[in-house]
Amino acid sequence: MDYIDIISKKYHGNILLKAPYEDEKDKNIAEELYSILCISNGILETMCLSNRDENIVIGWILYSYEMMMEWTAFYTANYGIKGTVFSDDGAGSPFIMNLDGTITCFNAIDNESTKMAETLLDFFQL
């Protein structure tokens, strides 16, 4: 599955890829996420402002491996999540790939999860 192509299409090509992740895989990270990170260690969304010649970064589409591990540890320790935090909604609510492969968005204020998609592929095709 070419997740990079799917993400690029979803964001109309307004993405910035990073250098590939080349270290060992944590046993808790899903293979789908790891396969993307091995191509680009995080993916940023960009946009072009009319008064600039180059695109500016506006947020993370997919966190880097290090950010995934950091945010997963935080939400596991503080909220008991079971899965991998891989991004957020831009307003502070993380997207989590659960152990069963489903994707949820966690609202820490209400301590509630909302199902977003059945799979990572579905999530990026929404």
Side-chain angles (χ1 to χ4, degrees), residues 58-116:
I58 59 173
W60 288 96
I61 297 169
L62 184 79
Y63 289 159
S64 68
Y65 181 88
E66 296 77 15
M67 291 174 71
M68 285 185 197
M69 295 299 98
E70 178 182 339
W71 284 113
T72 298
F74 173 82
Y75 281 97
T76 299
N78 291 288
Y79 298 98
I81 67 118
K82 305 283 189 233
T84 303
V85 174
F86 66 91
S87 189
D88 64 63
D89 66 359
S93 297
F95 293 123
I96 300 164
M97 181 176 221
N98 299 298
L99 299 177
D100 65 359
T102 60
I103 308 300
T104 55
C105 184
F106 180 71
N107 180 328
I109 294 170
D110 297 328
N111 198 26
E112 293 180 350
S113 292
T114 302
K115 189 173 186 178
M116 303 299 294

Side-chain angles (χ1 to χ4, degrees), residues 18-32:
K18 309 294 271 176
Y21 178 76
E22 296 178 338
D23 290 333
E24 290 186 35
K25 174 185 173 293
D26 182 278
K27 65 180 173 27
N28 296 314
I29 194 165
E31 194 58 43
E32 295 97 330

